[in-house]
Amino acid sequence: MKSIVVCLMPGAKFDKPTAGLLAAARGLDGQLTVIVPGTVGDDTTASLAGQADSVIVCEAAGLSEYQPELVLGVLQLVCSDLNPDIVLLAGDTYSQELTPRLAGRLGGVSAGDAQSLKLENDNLRVTRSVYGGKATAVVELRSKPAVVWVRARSFAPAAARDSAGSIEKRIVELAGEAAKSVDATKIVERHEESTGTVRLEDATLIVAGGRGLGGPEPFEELKKLAVVMGAQQAASRAACDAGWVPVQWQVGQTGKKVAPELYVAVAISGASQHLMGIADAKIVTAINTDRDAPIFKHCQFGLVEDYKAVVGPLTERLKALLS
Amino acid sequence: MKILVCLKQILDPEIPPRDFTINRETHQAIQGSANLVTNIFCENALETALQLRERSPGEITALTFGPASAEDSLRKALALKADQACLVEDDPATSHNSATTALVLAAAIRKLGEFDLIMVGREAGDWGAGQTGGLLAEQLGLPYVAFVDHIESAGDGVTLRRQTELGWEKVEAHLPLVVSITNSEENVPRIPKTRDIMMSARKSVTSWKLSDLGLTDDEVKSNGEALEVVDLYLPEKKSDCDFIEGDSIDEKIDEFAKRLASIVQSA
Ligand SMILES: Cc1cc2nc3c(=O)[nH]c(=O)nc-3n(C[C@H](O)[C@H](O)[C@H](O)COP(=O)(O)OP(=O)(O)OC[C@H]3O[C@@H](n4cnc5c(N)ncnc54)[C@H](O)[C@@H]3O)c2cc1C
Ligand SMILES: Nc1ncnc2c1ncn2[C@@H]1O[C@H](COP(=O)(O)O)[C@@H](O)[C@H]1O
C-alpha cells in the first residue's frame, strides 16, 4: 500500500491540521510519502520527515503561493510518478478545491470530509456524515488512487517515528497543457477576516448567536458576554446569510467545525446542519424560548428564556463571578 | 455571457431528524412525507447567475440529471427567468456518485453547446459530497475555482470573490471556467412570482436519455462502482438536557451564570 499526504500548509507551519492529517495517514499501513508543493522552513521539513518514509518538497516557478492550476499541475506530475493507492489532503479551502480534480487527473476516485479511515481488502473505507448530519455513511473507494480530504483537526497527532524519513527537494517543470493552463486563474488578493484572537476552530469557549436574535445589534450585546467569558463569537448560517455577522463566523456542515470546552448557543434552533459543526464540543448549552428546540437535545444544561431578558444580567453576574 | 447552472434535486434537508428514515439494506434515505427541493447551493448559484445577467448581457441554461421529478427544479429555474432548461433523465432506482454525475453532466454540456461559465453548488445537501464541480472541470478540461460567492465580468474574463476558511480572496479568471458557488448574504435566492410560475409551466424543457448523450448504461454503471456505499446508519441519540429551573428569572440566571463560570474557570 502506497500513500501520499499532500501538505498544502498555507501557513507553511507544522500546525494542528497537518499533524492530524499525518496521523490519519499513519493509521493506514504501508509506505508514506509527504508532498509539499511550495517552500517551507527546514524545521517544518524535519517535523514532516519525523512522520513519513519520505518527504518531497517541490519547487517550481511561482510556487511560493497557492494558485489552483499551478499546484494541481505540480501535484499531478509528482503523484503520478509515485503511482499511489491513496492520496490524503487536509480540510482547508485549497485542499477541498483540489481533491476531486486531482482524482480526475490521476484516474482515481475522490471523497471529502472523512471522519475516519480504514482499509478493507486493500480498499479505503471512509466514514462521513451525510444528510446534514442526520445519517452516517461508510463509503468504499474502489478505484486507485483514492483521493480524500479528511477532517484533519479531528485526528489526534501521532508521535514522531523512531527514524526520520528521507527529504528530497525536487524541481518541477510543467510542460504541455498543464503549463498553458497555469494562468487561467489567478488569486490576486487575499484577505483575512478576523474572528477574534484565535481561530474559531481552536477556541476553547464560544458564544454563538442565531436567527432568533433578530438583527445585528444583539450580536453586540453577545459580544459583551463573550468578552467577560473570554470567549469567541460564532453564528448560525441564518445569521450569516442575513448579513448580521461575517460568513467566517458560520459554524456547521458548511461552516467551521469547532471543538470548544463550552459552546453557548443563543437563539439557535439546532438544525442538524448546525450541530454537525459542534459534534466535538465538550459541553453545549443554550438559551432559547422554545423548550422543544432541537438544540436542547444536545445540551448538558439549558435555559428556556428570552435572550433579551437574559444576556444583560447574565453578563453582569459572570463579571462578578469571574473577577 | 453564456452561463450554465447545474441544479440537483434532493430530499428536503430541513426536515427534522425524527422524520428522517433510511433503508439500511439499500443504503438509501426514505422519502416518506418529505418534499423534494432544489439543493440550496444550486439556488445560490442560480441567483448569482441571475445577478450577473442583470449587470451584463447573458443567457442562462439550467441543467439537471435526475428522475422525472427533477423537472420541478427546472420549472422553478424557468420561473426565475432562466432562458432554457435541460433534464437528463435517470432511472430513480440507481444511485450515483459524483464521478458518474460529472460524466453525464459533461456529456450533456457538450451537446448543449459552448458555455463561458459553468456553475455548480459547493455541495449537495443530501450526500454533501462536494466533488462534482472539480470532477466536471476535469471532464471538460477547464479550470476551476471553488467556494465563489460573487462574480463580475471583467474584460473578456471574470473577477471572482471566493471564501476561504480565513477570509476571502479575489480571483481573476479567463473563460470558459467552472465555479462552485457558496452562500453569502448577497446570493440568497429570490422567490419566483406567482405569474412567472404559471408561465413557466408552458415553457419547454429539453429532455434527454443517457443514450441521447452517447452514454451506455454499462459505462455509467462501471463508473459508479468506483465508489460504493457499504453502510448507512443513524447516529445514536444524545442524552437529555438538564433545564435550569427556578422561582424567578433572576434565580435562573444566577444558577446559569454559576454553571458557566465554573466551566470557564476550569477551561
Ligand atoms: C445544505 C445545507 C447546509 C447548511 N449548513 C449550515 C451550517 O453550516 N450552519 C448552520 O448554522 N446552518 C446550516 N444550514 C441551515 C440550517 O438548516 C438551519 O436553517 C439554520 O441552522 C437555522 O439557523 P438558526 O438556528 O439561527 O435559525 P432558526 O432555525 O430560525 O432558529 C431560531 C431559534 O431562535 C429561537 N428564538 C427566537 N426568538 C428568541 C428569543 N427572543 N430568545 C431566545 N430564543 C429565541 C427560536 O425558538 C429558534 O429556536 C444548512 C442548510 C442546508 C440545507
Ligand atoms: N444530478 C445532478 N444534476 C445536476 N447537478 C448536479 C447533480 N449532482 C450534483 N450536481 C451539481 O454539483 C454540485 C455539488 O454536488 P455534490 O458533488 O454531489 O455535493 C451540486 O450543487 C450541483 O450543482
Side-chain angles (χ1 to χ4, degrees):
Chain A
M1 189 67 48
K2 269 198 281 186
S3 304
I4 289 177
V5 158
V6 175
C7 283
L8 294 178
M9 295 197 293
K13 287 196 306 280
F14 191 84
D15 53 9
K16 198 175 170 205
T18 306
L21 174 61
L22 286 157
R26 284 179 60 191
L28 306 167
D29 288 336
Q31 192 79 10
L32 177 62
T33 304
V34 174
I35 299 180
V36 185
T39 2
V40 284
D42 290 343
D43 285 5
T44 307
T45 316
S47 304
L48 294 171
Q51 299 276 339
D53 297 291
S54 55
V55 179
I56 304 176
V57 180
C58 308
E59 288 178 19
L63 206 56
S64 56
E65 57 174 24
Y66 175 84
Q67 293 291 352
E69 304 303 313
L70 175 63
V71 173
L72 180 63
V74 166
L75 288 177
Q76 177 186 5
L77 261 181
V78 182
C79 289
S80 51
D81 261 2
L82 293 167
N83 197 20
D85 300 293
I86 293 169
V87 182
L88 298 181
L89 296 94
D92 56 280
T93 308
Y94 301 152
S95 294
Q96 291 194 32
E97 179 170 75
L98 287 175
T99 295
R101 298 189 73 192
L102 191 55
R105 295 243 174 139
L106 299 174
V109 58
S110 65
D113 202 15
Q115 283 149 283
S116 70
L117 304 170
K118 200 175 131 202
L119 283 174
E120 188 79 36
N121 309 323
D122 270 4
N123 288 325
L124 187 63
R125 284 192 172 184
V126 163
T127 303
R128 53 190 309 276
S129 280
V130 295
Y131 286 96
K134 287 193 268 280
T136 306
V138 181
V139 290
E140 187 168 300
L141 289 77
R142 292 187 178 155
S143 194
K144 298 280 154 64
V147 185
V148 177
W149 70 264
V150 302
R151 263 195 212 184
R153 281 168 180 277
S154 315
F155 290 84
R161 304 165 5 138
D162 295 337
S163 60
S166 64
I167 297 172
E168 177 198 344
K169 291 219 156 68
R170 190 178 296 185
I171 315 268
V172 183
E173 239 175 288
L174 295 185
E177 277 307 309
K180 267 190 270 164
S181 63
V182 163
D183 294 325
T185 63
K186 189 159 180 31
I187 301 170
V188 292
E189 286 176 30
R190 296 166 204 257
H191 299 267
E192 286 200 13
E193 206 87 56
S194 169
T195 52
T197 43
V198 293
R199 296 180 51 156
L200 215 40
E201 292 95 328
D202 295 327
T204 39
L205 302 164
I206 296 176
V207 174
R211 172 150 46 205
L213 291 178
E217 299 82 15
F219 274 95
E220 292 298 319
E221 292 303 306
L222 278 190
K223 185 175 178 179
K224 292 181 195 148
L225 175 64
V227 168
V228 166
M229 291 171 59
Q232 241 154 292
Q233 283 191 270
S236 72
R237 171 172 163 162
C240 296
D241 274 1
W244 301 341
V245 292
V247 65
Q248 284 73 26
W249 288 29
Q250 183 177 319
V251 166
Q253 177 183 357
T254 48
K256 303 267 152 57
K257 314 276 187 293
V258 299
E261 295 294 318
L262 173 67
Y263 188 86
V264 186
V266 185
I268 290 176
S269 64
S272 62
Q273 292 90 355
H274 186 79
L275 297 173
M276 252 177 94
I278 57 173
D280 293 331
K282 297 260 161 46
I283 299 178
V284 178
T285 184
I287 303 169
N288 199 305
T289 38
D290 177 8
R291 185 176 283 263
D292 296 325
I295 186 77
F296 285 127
K297 294 212 171 55
H298 299 262
C299 287
Q300 275 80 347
F301 61 101
L303 184 58
V304 182
E305 284 294 345
D306 189 327
Y307 82 86
K308 293 193 208 83
V310 172
V311 176
L314 179 64
T315 308
E316 291 310 313
R317 280 299 290 138
L318 276 170
K319 203 184 276 176
L321 286 168
L322 292 169
S323 65
Chain B
M1 196 182 299
K2 291 196 74 181
I3 307 170
L4 181 124
V5 184
C6 298
L7 304 173
K8 184 179 187 192
Q9 189 185 51
I10 60 169
L11 196 68
D12 184 355
E14 308 227 18
I15 55 163
R18 64 170 179 276
D19 295 341
F20 180 80
T21 50
I22 54 168
N23 181 331
R24 274 204 80 162
E25 249 96 78
T26 60
H27 308 131
Q28 283 177 325
I30 296 170
Q31 187 186 342
S33 59
N35 291 323
L36 295 171
V37 300
T38 308
N39 175 35
I40 177 69
F41 299 110
C42 301
E43 295 195 310
N44 295 131
L46 180 60
E47 177 61 36
T48 307
L50 291 167
Q51 289 178 18
L52 188 56
R53 195 183 59 180
E54 282 159 7
R55 289 192 298 268
S56 44
E59 202 183 282
I60 299 172
T61 303
L63 169 65
T64 190
F65 170 47
S69 67
E71 196 180 313
D72 290 348
S73 289
L74 295 175
R75 293 276 163 214
K76 192 169 172 200
L78 289 169
L80 290 170
K81 306 283 172 67
D83 298 282
Q84 40 164 335
C86 174
L87 169 74
V88 179
E89 227 185 295
D90 180 28
D91 176 356
T94 53
S95 60
H96 294 294
N97 61 50
S98 310
T100 40
T101 302
L103 181 79
V104 171
L105 294 177
I109 290 168
R110 280 193 214 100
K111 192 171 161 110
L112 282 165
E114 305 244 310
F115 293 92
D116 300 301
L117 197 55
I118 292 162
M119 297 161 80
V120 302
R122 63 174 285 167
E123 64 186 63
D126 49 6
W127 281 80
Q131 303 298 308
T132 307
L135 292 166
L136 181 60
E138 289 308 314
Q139 285 281 343
L140 296 169
L142 295 179
Y144 174 65
V145 181
F147 309 114
V148 171
D149 70 5
H150 185 83
I151 305 175
E152 294 278 344
S153 53
D156 49 12
V158 283
T159 305
L160 314 168
R161 188 181 60 204
R162 77 105 147 246
Q163 294 176 13
T164 66
E165 73 267 34
L166 291 176
W168 59 279
E169 295 175 343
K170 186 169 152 187
V171 187
E172 289 172 357
H174 297 301
L175 301 174
L177 173 74
V178 180
V179 294
S180 86
I181 299 289
T182 190
N183 61 300
S184 78
E185 56 184 282
E186 274 177 42
N187 64 18
V188 177
R190 64 190 72 185
I191 314 278
K193 297 198 188 81
T194 315
R195 204 185 121 241
D196 292 334
I197 294 174
M198 278 150 60
M199 299 279 283
S200 77
R202 274 184 265 150
K203 293 198 182 154
S204 73
V205 167
T206 307
S207 183
W208 287 330
K209 300 228 172 326
L210 290 178
S211 54
D212 295 321
L213 302 177
L215 294 169
T216 62
D217 283 346
D218 279 353
E219 203 174 344
V220 173
K221 194 160 164 268
S222 74
N223 214 292
E225 282 164 359
L227 196 145
E228 187 132 332
V229 181
V230 291
D231 199 5
L232 182 70
Y233 55 92
L234 302 178
E236 52 189 296
K237 296 259 188 312
K238 289 275 157 52
S239 59
D240 284 341
C241 172
D242 173 15
F243 286 105
I244 308 267
E245 307 295 350
D247 292 335
S248 67
I249 181 165
D250 286 345
E251 224 178 281
K252 290 203 223 168
I253 293 173
D254 204 54
E255 170 64 18
F256 193 66
K258 280 189 192 134
R259 294 213 194 179
L260 290 186
S262 86
I263 300 166
V264 171
Q265 274 157 346
S266 61

